Amino acid sequence: MENLELPNMARRGYGCYLTASNKQKFLYSTRPFLKRAALVLTYGILLMYFRLWIMGGSMPAFSEQDNPASFSPYLLTRFLTYSYLLAFNAWLLLAPITLCYDWQVGSIPLVESIWDLRNFATLILAFVMFVLCLHCFVAFKKLEHREILVGLLFLIFPFMPASNLFFRVGFVVAERILYMPSMGYCILLVHGLNRLCLWLHKWGITAVSFSALLLLLFSWKTVKQNEIWLSRESLFRSGVQTLPHNAKVHYNYANFLKDQGRDREAIYHYKTALQLYPRHASALNNLGTLTKDMAQAKEYYSKALQLNPQHNRVLFNLGNLLKTQGKKEEALLLLRNSIQYGPDFADAYSSLASLLAEQEQLKEAEEVYQAGIENCPESSDLHNNYGVFLVDTGSPETAVSHYQKAIELSPGHHVAMVNLGRLYRSLGQNKDAEIWYKRALKVARKTEILSPLGALYYNTGRYEDALKIYREAASLQPSNKETRLALAQVLTMMGQAKEAEQMLSHIVTEGAECLECYRLLSAIYSKQENYNKALEAIDKALQLKPKDPKIISELFFTKGNQLREQNHLDKAFESYKVSVDFNPEQAQAWMNMGGIEHIKGNYITARHYYEKALQLVPNSKLLKENLAKLDRLERRLQEGRGRG
């Protein structure tokens, strides 16, 4: 019996030895892991502290449309929705069939009841995670399959900051946050496939064929998804096709369509976004900008302000709308509020300063411009607009530096280049003006750039160059009346009156009220000595009833000239008389009236008109000669009377 007990004692001692050895081995193997875990945890805490520090110790603010569940007043709704979102993200890893660049605003309806079928997905995920953790624990105790623990850690920990468990996040689902968890998923997937393929091998299915099929499917999905990201249009359109009940994707697609000038389609998608999410203030704002009916646009802006009274772009757009309607005081208030709630919104500074300048509040307008430049120093448009203001208020030298700053900030700012060219033109520096016009043309061949260059050439006698420029401008915008009129003026100056006449006749037959066209036609006909047609053109110009007295005066003066050429002196005199009634400083009309009276022998009246004209142009040799002729005639008459 004693011989039998000894082996049992030895066996127990050997078993105790194995147990102690395993414990030591376990502690030895886990010590590096614990060190790494502590290091990673410390690094994570420091990273979170740094993130909070750069954000000023406060969490970012999100709107309801960013994460609707977090704004629900019901704890059960938040818990069920957050739990389901975990299952939804797990499904995206397992089967990335439905992918979208944005999952906000109704993409995933809230789980508001425990009877919602989506809760089964949450339960399945909880069961799978429990099994994985249990399997990981067992495998870890056996010191095998450590990849399970690594995969589980990669799957869970990188996802936790985005899980809504600790703090609210600014999205419902975001595929980008699955990049790190996907590494853990891949590790677990490979482990699972290895075990699965051992079982499938019994049925004749090899691990290689199964893995190849899976790899092929995921590769095909990657290629198709990359095609979606090739352009802004394909990306936004895919969002509408994938999640048609998501208001955000309709809004984004509408913004793209608006930028492309496809206003009708943009309006449809803005309205769809509002049907899905009626509280979308930005959609109302953008819809207002596309609406031609001012009353309806005002209604959209007002609704948007009811939803978000601090929406600076709505305040800006409504302010500009009221400005066009002449409601200047209301517009000023709205534009000031726009700047208050959006101090980095450069357009609001420009619009407010422009309105103040219109009301002759020049000092305050300049202060607004300077405040805008201080808060938005990188805004090229603001520098350009301030330059225009400085030119209008008599500070062209200062304006030059702001135009140049606008061009420095935005090398393709052709508007600032044209403005700088106009400024140099007004200062008589034609070469510098031409340089800037040509530089602007290198950026864009547009009519609004070609026209001032053509005018420069025309006014400096370079008619051939002006003709080329205006022909190009007319080809770019064939319906532009001003460009064709300028081209006709150049053609007339170069003696190509027939082409000019055809062009002007075509403009007036289009129904355009072109007063200058009739004036130029009258000049062409007069040069051709076709005075009847010239007179007819002037009468048509007068029928347009211009408001400027000086223009009316010029038209009656021209009409008087045509009548005088036809020897209708009395009618000519009446036209000249009307001309000076509208503009008493029309010296030529006074002189022509004196000439008609001179011809008729009414020397006293003629002298009166000559003297009127001489007061306006005291250095006129012709007037002095005419008065001298009158003196000689009067002396002869007096001598004749004396002899009689």
Side-chain angles (χ1 to χ4, degrees):
M1 294 295 292
E2 291 177 359
N3 292 334
L4 291 172
E5 289 178 1
L6 186 59
N8 289 334
M9 291 174 63
R11 196 177 299 114
R12 285 196 298 271
Y14 184 66
C16 292
Y17 171 75
L18 285 174
T19 303
S21 176
N22 283 342
K23 287 180 179 178
Q24 291 177 0
K25 191 175 180 181
F26 177 79
L27 290 172
Y28 179 78
S29 62
T30 56
R31 190 176 293 113
F33 166 75
L34 293 173
K35 288 181 179 179
R36 288 194 297 270
L39 183 63
V40 170
L41 184 62
T42 304
Y43 173 75
I45 292 172
L46 289 174
L47 191 63
M48 291 181 66
Y49 175 78
F50 177 71
R51 177 68 182 269
L52 285 171
W53 176 73
I54 62 175
M55 295 179 64
S58 62
M59 299 299 293
F62 302 112
S63 64
E64 183 181 356
Q65 59 182 309
D66 296 325
N67 190 349
S70 64
F71 284 84
S72 173
Y74 304 108
L75 178 62
L76 180 64
T77 299
R78 295 198 300 272
F79 174 75
L80 294 177
T81 303
Y82 290 157
S83 301
Y84 171 70
L85 290 178
L86 298 177
F88 188 87
N89 279 282
W91 176 250
L92 284 181
L93 284 175
L94 183 64
I97 299 170
T98 303
L99 298 176
C100 186
Y101 69 92
D102 197 302
W103 290 82
Q104 297 181 11
V105 195
S107 300
I108 301 177
L110 299 181
V111 183
E112 299 177 311
S113 169
I114 58 174
W115 306 113
D116 194 312
L117 294 178
R118 290 175 292 175
N119 290 319
F120 283 107
T122 304
L123 293 174
I124 293 170
L125 175 66
F127 175 75
V128 170
M129 294 303 296
F130 175 76
V131 171
L132 276 174
C133 291
L134 186 62
H135 182 57
C136 176
F137 179 75
V138 173
F140 193 68
K141 284 194 69 175
K142 293 181 178 180
L143 303 178
E144 60 182 11
H145 300 312
R146 295 182 182 178
E147 68 274 9
I148 302 175
L149 177 61
V150 175
L152 204 58
L153 291 175
F154 267 113
L155 184 68
I156 295 174
F157 279 97
F159 184 78
M160 288 180 68
S163 64
N164 287 288
L165 296 176
F166 303 105
F167 43 79
R168 177 189 297 169
V169 297
F171 50 83
V172 179
V173 174
E175 294 157 16
R176 64 184 180 276
I177 65 170
L178 297 178
Y179 292 156
M180 288 291 288
S182 66
M183 295 172 62
Y185 165 74
C186 290
I187 294 171
L188 294 173
L189 181 65
V190 170
H191 173 77
L193 284 176
N194 185 42
R195 301 293 295 272
L196 179 63
C197 289
L198 290 174
W199 179 76
L200 291 174
H201 185 67
K202 300 175 183 179
W203 299 88
I205 303 174
T206 64
V208 175
S209 61
F210 187 82
S211 300
L213 177 62
L214 196 62
L215 184 63
L216 183 64
L217 286 172
F218 277 83
S219 298
W220 175 81
K221 181 62 177 177
T222 301
V223 171
K224 297 301 291 182
Q225 195 67 13
N226 285 343
E227 291 177 358
I228 289 173
W229 286 81
L230 286 175
S231 69
R232 187 169 170 235
E233 181 176 10
S234 62
L235 179 65
F236 290 157
R237 188 173 59 245
S238 73
V240 172
Q241 294 169 348
T242 305
L243 297 175
H245 53 287
N246 182 341
K248 183 71 174 291
V249 295
H250 282 281
Y251 172 75
N252 288 340
Y253 189 41
N255 286 343
F256 167 78
L257 294 169
K258 178 186 175 186
D259 294 342
Q260 298 296 311
R262 296 156 63 179
D263 293 351
R264 183 175 298 178
E265 296 173 78
I267 289 172
Y268 168 77
H269 285 282
Y270 280 133
K271 288 184 176 180
T272 304
L274 287 167
Q275 288 173 358
L276 295 168
Y277 186 69
R279 301 182 70 252
H280 204 310
S282 294
L284 284 165
N285 172 62
N286 292 356
L287 193 56
T289 62
L290 294 177
T291 304
K292 295 179 180 179
D293 185 349
M294 284 192 177
Q296 193 173 18
K298 186 177 180 181
E299 183 180 348
Y300 286 134
Y301 294 143
S302 300
K303 285 182 179 178
L305 283 179
Q306 289 173 5
L307 297 171
N308 185 359
Q310 298 181 3
H311 198 303
N312 64 312
R313 292 189 179 272
V314 180
L315 290 164
F316 169 75
N317 289 327
L318 183 56
N320 282 337
L321 177 62
L322 294 175
K323 176 182 172 182
T324 60
Q325 293 179 339
K327 300 177 181 179
K328 303 294 179 65
E329 294 302 320
E330 295 178 58
L332 281 172
L333 178 62
L334 289 167
L335 291 172
R336 291 185 195 279
N337 288 339
S338 177
I339 291 173
Q340 179 184 350
Y341 298 123
D344 57 347
F345 186 26
D347 289 348
Y349 289 100
S350 292
S351 189
L352 176 59
S354 173
L355 181 54
L356 289 168
E358 287 179 18
Q359 296 184 323
E360 299 298 327
Q361 300 179 42
L362 301 181
K363 184 179 179 181
E364 191 174 354
E366 184 161 9
E367 290 174 355
V368 170
Y369 273 124
Q370 291 174 351
I373 289 172
E374 181 180 352
N375 290 310
C376 313
E378 302 302 314
S379 173
S380 56
D381 287 339
L382 194 54
H383 279 282
N384 173 68
N385 295 339
Y386 187 35
V388 174
F389 171 80
L390 290 169
V391 170
D392 292 341
T393 53
S395 302
E397 295 80 8
T398 312
V400 170
S401 62
H402 285 281
Y403 286 143
Q404 291 175 341
K405 184 63 177 179
I407 297 165
E408 178 186 336
L409 292 169
S410 179
H413 204 307
H414 59 83
V415 176
M417 295 176 190
V418 172
N419 286 339
L420 190 53
R422 286 197 175 107
L423 176 54
Y424 281 128
R425 177 81 180 90
S426 66
L427 296 173
Q429 301 177 30
N430 293 332
K431 289 185 178 180
D432 290 329
E434 183 179 359
I435 289 171
W436 283 106
Y437 288 147
K438 287 184 175 179
R439 185 169 168 181
L441 286 173
K442 290 180 180 178
V443 177
R445 306 290 295 190
K446 292 186 175 182
T447 302
E448 54 266 31
I449 306 173
L450 291 163
S451 293
L453 180 59
L456 172 64
Y457 289 150
Y458 178 80
N459 292 324
T460 53
R462 297 167 62 178
Y463 301 123
E464 289 287 346
D465 293 330
L467 184 62
K468 290 178 183 177
I469 291 294
Y470 278 126
R471 283 197 188 279
E472 182 182 353
S475 66
L476 290 174
Q477 289 188 1
S479 60
N480 190 306
K481 179 185 70 176
E482 287 75 15
T483 303
R484 288 185 291 165
L485 174 60
L487 177 57
Q489 288 174 331
V490 178
L491 289 167
T492 303
M493 186 62 66
M494 295 182 68
Q496 301 179 35
K498 187 173 182 181
E499 185 180 353
E501 181 185 348
Q502 291 175 347
M503 187 171 292
L504 293 167
S505 299
H506 186 66
I507 294 173
V508 296
T509 53
E510 290 174 350
E513 294 187 352
C514 182
L515 187 144
E516 290 299 324
C517 292
Y518 289 118
R519 291 176 71 173
L520 188 54
L521 277 171
S522 177
I524 292 171
Y525 293 142
S526 180
K527 196 171 183 179
Q528 295 172 349
E529 297 184 357
N530 191 343
Y531 301 117
N532 286 328
K533 275 194 169 184
L535 189 60
E536 184 181 345
I538 288 298
D539 284 335
K540 287 181 178 179
L542 285 168
Q543 288 172 11
L544 297 177
K545 297 179 180 179
K547 295 180 180 179
D548 189 344
K550 289 186 177 180
I551 292 177
I552 299 173
S553 174
E554 285 290 337
L555 290 174
F556 274 103
F557 173 72
T558 305
K559 182 177 181 179
N561 290 341
Q562 308 305 328
L563 291 166
R564 190 185 62 180
E565 292 293 342
Q566 297 178 70
N567 207 29
H568 299 317
L569 298 182
D570 292 336
K571 291 182 179 179
F573 183 88
E574 291 300 322
S575 289
Y576 291 137
K577 185 70 172 64
V578 175
S579 176
V580 295
D581 287 341
F582 279 98
N583 182 16
E585 295 183 359
Q586 177 60 272
Q588 191 66 41
W590 288 111
M591 186 171 71
N592 289 356
M593 289 167 66
I596 292 173
E597 292 298 295
H598 193 154
I599 293 169
K600 289 182 176 180
N602 300 325
Y603 303 131
I604 296 174
T605 311
R607 179 180 292 277
H608 170 71
Y609 291 137
Y610 283 150
E611 288 175 349
K612 273 273 191 183
L614 191 62
Q615 290 174 4
L616 297 170
V617 281
N619 296 322
S620 173
K621 292 182 180 180
L622 184 58
L623 279 170
K624 291 177 180 178
E625 289 175 1
N626 288 345
L627 284 169
K629 289 177 182 178
L630 277 179
D631 291 339
R632 288 194 295 270
L633 284 171
E634 288 178 350
R635 280 198 298 269
R636 288 175 188 172
L637 286 173
Q638 289 175 359
E639 289 173 359
R641 288 173 187 157
R643 291 192 193 108

